[in-house]
Amino acid sequence: MAQLYYRTFYFASGEKGARRDIWRLAKPARLGHHQTMIAATLIGGIGLFLLGMWLMTEGLRVAAGDALRVILQNWIKSGLQGVLAGILITAIVQSSTIVTVATLGFVNAGLMSLGQAIWVIFGTNIGTTMTGWLVAVIGVKVDIGALALPLIGIGMLGRLVFGRNLRRAGLGQALAGFGVFFLGINVLQAGFADLAPLVAAEAIAPPGWTGRLLFLGLGFVLTQLTQSSSASIAIILTASAGGSVPFDLGAAAVIGTNIGTTTTAFLAALGATASAKRVASAHIAFNLLTGIVALLVLPPLTHVTDFLTTALGMANDMPMRLAIFHTIFNILGVLLIWPLAAPLVRFLSRRFVTPAESLGRPRHLDQTITAVPALALRSLVLELLRMRDMAFAAATRRVVDASAASADVLAQEEGVAALGQAVRAFIAGLSAGPLPDDVVAALPDLLRATQHLEEVTRRAAGLAPSGPSPSHEMGNLRKAVLASLAGPAGRAETERETGPALDASGELAVFAAAVEDHYQKAKTELLRGAATGSLSLDAMEAAQRQAQLLRRCADAASKAQRRLLPWLERAADPAPQGNGPAQTTPPESPAASANAGGQDEAAAAGRAE
């Protein structure tokens, strides 16, 4: 006759030492039925646990508000600060994925460098150990059956009451998440306690390294299934509390969960930006290095862990031993990667380079020359001339035909944005030391020139496809803007009757006056067309918006030129060795070197209109 079992679920009541039976099967079941119920219990417990993790993570993320952004943007000045920020934020929001995604966003936006980002990623690995400590200290020690349900009730009540206050509502949701999290641990404990007599890890795992590799793979697969290393760690620690997993095999499974997160990073990097690929590659390299080293030195690490737990009087506390082991080997990983971080950043910076990044990398700026302000000023002017050429070339293509913006135009626009950030960073480093009067006088002009050049590409990028011109003067305005961007060649095309040659400042004044004159005429013509019914109001307003963008684009170009004009003589000196060829393009023909065919297209478009 088959052996019979009874199945009972217990949750603690509010009275100390008392337990209340809330579910008992009415009749005995066969062994197969018992195993099915154990499987159902484990699946349900994992579901509750993952639901609690999600509620807790989302609630804490909302409650944290801008704290994550402020810490990531403003607090990271060194590798140690980056690691501490990663630990702190991951421990608060209980999700390394959220921190990693936020870090990727800041890197993509240019608000954080790759060198800063990788230290945050290293810190998130240590921060994930907080989940293990929660399970080891509270989840499997404290009688949480009576605590879990009130936490869920109070948390969801707070979520409803403070629905309009996002932070307080987030805290309520996080509190409910903690309750569901601990409820899931309670159910998992019951399931693993029933599983332990039926399946012992020693009986199914081969001895020695074969068994460790098997459990390493188990931890890896568990992370793929749950898509969360924190969830995997909690499941492993809860299983170990039932006595079914020996320490060395549990430690191998913990290592496997860390390695398992590399697949998430790999998948996230597919089709992502170059910056995201670099950060993801750093994450993969760090986790693989940490996992491989921890596996190779597993016996010494387990001895160290045993020594610490014995000293703390916790030698028989398996979850605590695994939590300490998890923390030790993640800290060991950070210590190992520390001297390799700078070479890793240099290596990754040369990988996944896009055309936009190639254009956006400074060719003349080097922080080492900030010690010589005169050379630093010359380098700044050279870089801004290169940025000007790129901005004017991209704007010219947009003005000619916004619908024909190709990949190289988009790359130029991204390059201008990247150069703007590089120029600001260089000026910040330069202004940290004592400066001569002429450099102090130049920096405000160069900063404003940077802003104006960025505005040129931003205004041009907003232009709609030109199509048939709604008025004659709109065509003239477009030609005037193209002449402003083209320099003296544009003036020769449109102002041949203008007496003697003008100096650079006079040329800029002529271009600005021509643009303003045609803008006012175009606006008047558009309003007249709408009044007479030859132009619909919608078409008139759309054309006016385009005219405003054209005017502002030319105005920003003129302001940038005026800011650069007093300092152009700094770029006329021969370039020092190693800085590449000097950019000596005069202000009157900025687009020539960046887009050789731009003037021909502009002239052709002007004649067509």
Side-chain angles (χ1 to χ4, degrees):
M1 187 175 184
Q3 187 177 1
L4 302 179
Y5 291 87
Y6 285 94
R7 176 69 181 95
T8 304
F9 274 52
Y10 287 105
F11 290 93
S13 68
E15 300 177 8
K16 186 176 180 180
R19 303 188 70 88
R20 181 164 57 91
D21 186 356
I22 66 170
W23 177 29
R24 179 187 294 268
L25 293 182
K27 57 184 178 180
R30 294 184 181 275
L31 177 61
H33 191 189
H34 181 61
Q35 291 172 328
T36 301
M37 293 307 301
I38 292 175
T41 302
L42 294 176
I43 292 172
I46 291 172
L48 285 171
F49 175 82
L50 292 176
L51 176 61
M53 285 285 292
W54 180 81
L55 288 170
M56 186 168 52
T57 297
E58 288 299 306
L60 288 172
R61 180 182 62 81
V62 173
D66 289 337
L68 187 149
R69 177 185 60 81
V70 171
I71 293 175
L72 287 179
Q73 275 190 251
N74 303 325
W75 201 47
I76 303 171
K77 306 299 182 185
S78 66
L80 179 59
Q81 287 179 328
V83 171
L84 293 176
I87 295 172
L88 175 63
I89 299 173
T90 305
I92 290 174
V93 302
Q94 284 294 294
S95 174
S96 60
T97 301
I98 286 181
V99 182
T100 301
V101 169
T103 303
L104 286 175
F106 287 123
V107 172
N108 285 334
L111 301 175
M112 183 184 294
S113 68
L114 175 63
Q116 292 173 312
I118 64 170
W119 289 109
V120 176
I121 298 300
F122 299 161
T124 60
N125 268 37
I126 300 177
T128 56
T129 63
M130 181 60 66
T131 303
W133 286 102
L134 278 175
V135 175
V137 174
I138 301 175
V140 297
K141 281 192 172 65
V142 178
D143 200 1
I144 58 175
L147 178 64
L149 296 177
L151 281 176
I152 296 171
I154 295 171
M156 290 312 297
L157 181 62
R159 178 75 176 83
L160 294 173
V161 171
F162 301 112
R164 294 186 179 181
N165 188 316
L166 291 181
R167 290 199 171 185
R168 292 182 180 179
L171 284 175
Q173 180 175 318
L175 190 63
F178 272 109
V180 178
F181 172 82
F182 290 130
L183 186 61
I185 290 177
N186 205 343
V187 175
L188 281 174
Q189 279 184 277
F192 282 122
D194 285 346
L195 182 66
L198 301 178
V199 181
E202 296 95 329
I204 63 172
W209 281 101
T210 306
R212 292 167 185 167
L213 291 174
L214 178 64
F215 269 73
L216 177 82
L218 178 64
F220 181 90
V221 171
L222 193 58
T223 302
Q224 306 313 304
L225 294 175
T226 61
Q227 285 297 295
S228 170
S229 60
S230 296
S232 303
I233 291 293
I235 293 170
I236 292 169
L237 265 62
T238 305
S240 71
S244 58
V245 180
F247 178 56
D248 62 331
L249 298 183
V254 167
I255 296 172
T257 63
N258 260 42
I259 298 177
T261 60
T262 59
T263 59
T264 304
F266 174 76
L267 292 174
L270 294 177
T273 63
S275 298
K277 289 179 180 178
R278 294 189 190 105
V279 175
S281 298
H283 184 212
I284 292 170
F286 172 63
N287 279 34
L288 285 177
L289 173 67
T290 303
I292 292 171
V293 171
L295 187 63
L296 292 177
V297 298
L298 183 57
L301 282 179
T302 56
H303 291 321
V304 172
T305 304
D306 288 339
F307 172 78
L308 291 175
T309 51
T310 302
L312 296 172
M314 301 176 179
N316 296 322
D317 189 341
M318 186 66 73
M320 182 60 70
R321 292 170 71 190
L322 288 176
I324 292 174
F325 171 82
H326 187 210
T327 305
I328 288 175
F329 94 77
N330 273 298
I331 293 175
L332 175 64
V334 173
L335 295 178
L336 288 173
I337 201 71
W338 202 289
L340 304 176
L344 179 63
V345 170
R346 289 194 296 269
F347 173 79
L348 292 175
S349 297
R350 296 191 294 268
R351 299 296 179 272
F352 315 112
V353 179
T354 63
E357 284 186 314
S358 180
L359 289 172
R361 286 183 175 176
R363 297 181 184 175
H364 304 284
L365 303 183
D366 186 343
Q367 289 293 341
T368 59
I369 64 173
T370 56
V372 185
L375 286 178
L377 178 59
R378 180 180 175 278
S379 296
L380 266 174
V381 175
L382 286 170
E383 202 63 65
L384 281 169
L385 289 177
R386 178 171 168 260
M387 181 179 175
R388 178 201 65 184
D389 291 351
M390 201 182 304
F392 285 13
T396 296
R397 296 281 293 276
R398 292 279 192 179
V399 173
V400 169
D401 186 2
S403 64
S406 57
D408 60 327
V409 174
L410 297 176
Q412 286 176 327
E413 290 170 347
E414 292 180 26
V416 169
L419 282 178
Q421 294 298 325
V423 166
R424 289 179 175 84
F426 186 83
I427 290 177
L430 178 62
S431 59
L435 299 174
D437 292 341
D438 61 335
V439 176
V440 172
L443 292 185
D445 280 340
L446 300 184
L447 273 172
R448 290 295 290 155
T450 302
Q451 295 171 336
H452 293 317
L453 291 173
E454 291 171 332
E455 186 180 1
V456 168
T457 57
R458 188 168 61 251
R459 299 295 186 188
L463 291 171
S466 53
S469 180
S471 73
H472 175 71
E473 284 300 332
M474 278 293 292
N476 289 336
L477 173 60
R478 195 176 295 272
K479 287 191 289 185
V481 173
L482 289 171
S484 174
L485 294 169
R491 181 173 179 266
E493 180 74 24
T494 58
E495 304 286 347
R496 289 192 179 96
E497 298 83 14
T498 305
L502 302 175
D503 60 12
S505 179
E507 292 279 0
L508 294 176
V510 168
F511 292 138
V515 169
E516 183 63 25
D517 178 57
H518 288 300
Y519 170 74
Q520 295 298 335
K521 289 180 179 178
K523 187 168 66 171
T524 301
E525 192 173 40
L526 291 170
L527 290 170
R528 186 182 299 115
T532 59
S534 60
L535 196 63
S536 69
L537 289 176
D538 289 343
M540 181 270 293
E541 291 176 349
Q544 277 191 334
R545 287 192 292 270
Q546 293 301 297
Q548 289 171 352
L549 285 173
L550 288 167
R551 177 199 191 192
R552 289 170 180 171
C553 178
D555 184 54
S558 177
K559 289 178 178 178
Q561 293 277 57
R562 290 184 186 280
R563 292 288 183 175
L564 287 172
L565 199 58
W567 312 105
L568 289 179
E569 63 183 21
R570 299 291 182 140
D573 300 330
Q577 293 296 322
N579 281 342
Q583 171 57 271
T584 58
T585 307
E588 295 83 10
S589 56
S593 64
N595 184 15
Q599 294 180 12
D600 292 337
E601 295 180 41
R607 287 191 292 271
E609 292 175 343

